[in-house]
Amino acid sequence: MTLRLRAPRDLAAGLVFMAFATAFWLGAQDYEAGSAARMGPGYLPLLLSGILFLFGLVCAARAFVVTGDAIGRIPLKPVAVVAGAVILFAVLLNTAPAGAPPAFNAA
Protein backbone atom coordinates (compact mmCIF):
# COMPACT_ATOMS: atom_id res chain seq x y z
CA MET A 1 0.00 0.00 0.00
CA THR A 2 1.43 3.36 -1.02
CA LEU A 3 0.69 6.59 0.76
CA ARG A 4 -0.69 9.29 -1.46
CA LEU A 5 -0.97 12.90 -0.35
CA ARG A 6 -4.60 13.94 -0.72
CA ALA A 7 -4.78 17.17 1.29
CA PRO A 8 -1.63 19.31 1.12
CA ARG A 9 -3.18 22.02 3.32
CA ASP A 10 -3.74 19.55 6.14
CA LEU A 11 -0.15 18.34 5.87
CA ALA A 12 1.18 21.91 5.96
CA ALA A 13 -1.02 22.81 8.93
CA GLY A 14 0.05 19.68 10.80
CA LEU A 15 3.72 20.42 10.20
CA VAL A 16 3.27 24.01 11.41
CA PHE A 17 1.53 22.77 14.57
CA MET A 18 4.31 20.27 15.21
CA ALA A 19 6.98 22.95 14.63
CA PHE A 20 5.36 25.32 17.14
CA ALA A 21 4.91 22.49 19.63
CA THR A 22 8.56 21.51 19.30
CA ALA A 23 9.70 25.12 19.76
CA PHE A 24 7.60 25.55 22.90
CA TRP A 25 8.70 22.17 24.23
CA LEU A 26 12.34 23.16 23.78
CA GLY A 27 11.67 26.51 25.44
CA ALA A 28 10.02 24.82 28.43
CA GLN A 29 13.01 22.56 29.06
CA ASP A 30 14.60 25.23 31.28
CA TYR A 31 11.72 25.05 33.76
CA GLU A 32 11.09 22.33 36.31
CA ALA A 33 8.05 20.26 35.34
CA GLY A 34 7.32 18.67 38.69
CA SER A 35 4.54 16.08 38.82
CA ALA A 36 0.76 16.04 38.44
CA ALA A 37 0.38 16.32 42.21
CA ARG A 38 2.96 19.11 42.55
CA MET A 39 3.17 20.99 39.27
CA GLY A 40 6.18 23.13 38.51
CA PRO A 41 6.35 26.15 36.18
CA GLY A 42 7.20 23.94 33.20
CA TYR A 43 4.35 21.47 33.65
CA LEU A 44 1.67 23.34 31.68
CA PRO A 45 3.93 24.39 28.76
CA LEU A 46 5.17 20.81 28.40
CA LEU A 47 1.64 19.41 28.60
CA LEU A 48 0.23 21.89 26.09
CA SER A 49 3.12 21.44 23.67
CA GLY A 50 2.58 17.67 23.80
CA ILE A 51 -1.13 18.09 23.08
CA LEU A 52 -0.38 20.50 20.22
CA PHE A 53 2.16 18.07 18.77
CA LEU A 54 -0.39 15.23 18.86
CA PHE A 55 -2.97 17.50 17.23
CA GLY A 56 -0.46 18.32 14.48
CA LEU A 57 0.35 14.64 14.03
CA VAL A 58 -3.35 13.80 13.59
CA CYS A 59 -3.78 16.72 11.21
CA ALA A 60 -0.77 15.64 9.12
CA ALA A 61 -1.92 12.00 9.06
CA ARG A 62 -5.37 13.16 7.94
CA ALA A 63 -3.74 14.60 4.81
CA PHE A 64 -3.17 11.07 3.56
CA VAL A 65 -6.73 9.87 4.24
CA VAL A 66 -9.15 12.70 3.44
CA THR A 67 -9.22 14.51 0.11
CA GLY A 68 -8.73 18.27 0.43
CA ASP A 69 -7.74 21.41 -1.39
CA ALA A 70 -4.31 22.21 -2.73
CA ILE A 71 -2.25 25.02 -1.26
CA GLY A 72 -2.93 28.18 -3.25
CA ARG A 73 -0.99 31.39 -3.53
CA ILE A 74 -0.09 32.91 -0.19
CA PRO A 75 -1.26 36.55 -0.04
CA LEU A 76 1.91 38.39 0.95
CA LYS A 77 0.38 41.86 1.50
CA PRO A 78 -1.82 40.87 4.50
CA VAL A 79 1.03 38.83 5.98
CA ALA A 80 3.38 41.82 5.65
CA VAL A 81 0.82 44.21 7.17
CA VAL A 82 0.21 41.98 10.21
CA ALA A 83 3.92 41.30 10.72
CA GLY A 84 4.70 45.01 10.34
CA ALA A 85 2.04 45.94 12.91
CA VAL A 86 3.46 43.46 15.42
CA ILE A 87 7.01 44.72 14.86
CA LEU A 88 5.89 48.38 15.11
CA PHE A 89 4.06 47.62 18.36
CA ALA A 90 7.15 45.92 19.82
CA VAL A 91 9.44 48.80 18.83
CA LEU A 92 7.08 51.48 20.14
CA LEU A 93 6.44 49.58 23.35
CA ASN A 94 10.14 49.54 24.20
CA THR A 95 11.19 52.95 22.87
CA ALA A 96 8.21 55.28 23.32
CA PRO A 97 8.61 57.68 26.26
CA ALA A 98 5.18 56.91 27.72
CA GLY A 99 5.27 53.12 27.20
CA ALA A 100 2.17 51.31 25.94
CA PRO A 101 -0.30 54.16 25.10
CA PRO A 102 1.61 55.43 22.02
CA ALA A 103 2.04 51.85 20.84
CA PHE A 104 -1.69 51.18 21.06
CA ASN A 105 -2.53 54.43 19.26
CA ALA A 106 -0.04 53.78 16.43
CA ALA A 107 -1.28 50.26 15.74
Side-chain angles (χ1 to χ4, degrees):
M1 180 174 134
T2 61
L3 289 176
R4 193 175 73 108
L5 182 61
R6 296 179 182 193
R9 280 187 181 181
D10 288 344
L11 179 63
L15 292 175
V16 168
F17 288 145
M18 288 189 286
F20 273 106
T22 302
F24 282 107
W25 181 78
L26 290 172
Q29 292 298 305
D30 294 337
Y31 301 114
E32 182 183 343
S35 65
R38 191 165 171 87
M39 297 178 201
Y43 189 85
L44 187 63
L46 288 172
L47 180 68
L48 291 179
S49 64
I51 292 170
L52 183 61
F53 190 87
L54 289 175
F55 183 73
L57 197 61
V58 168
C59 194
R62 185 177 183 265
F64 295 97
V65 177
V66 178
T67 302
D69 296 333
I71 298 175
R73 260 192 57 199
I74 297 173
L76 295 179
K77 185 176 179 182
V79 171
V81 168
V82 170
V86 170
I87 291 169
L88 179 65
F89 177 79
V91 168
L92 287 175
L93 188 62
N94 290 328
T95 60
F104 285 117
N105 290 332

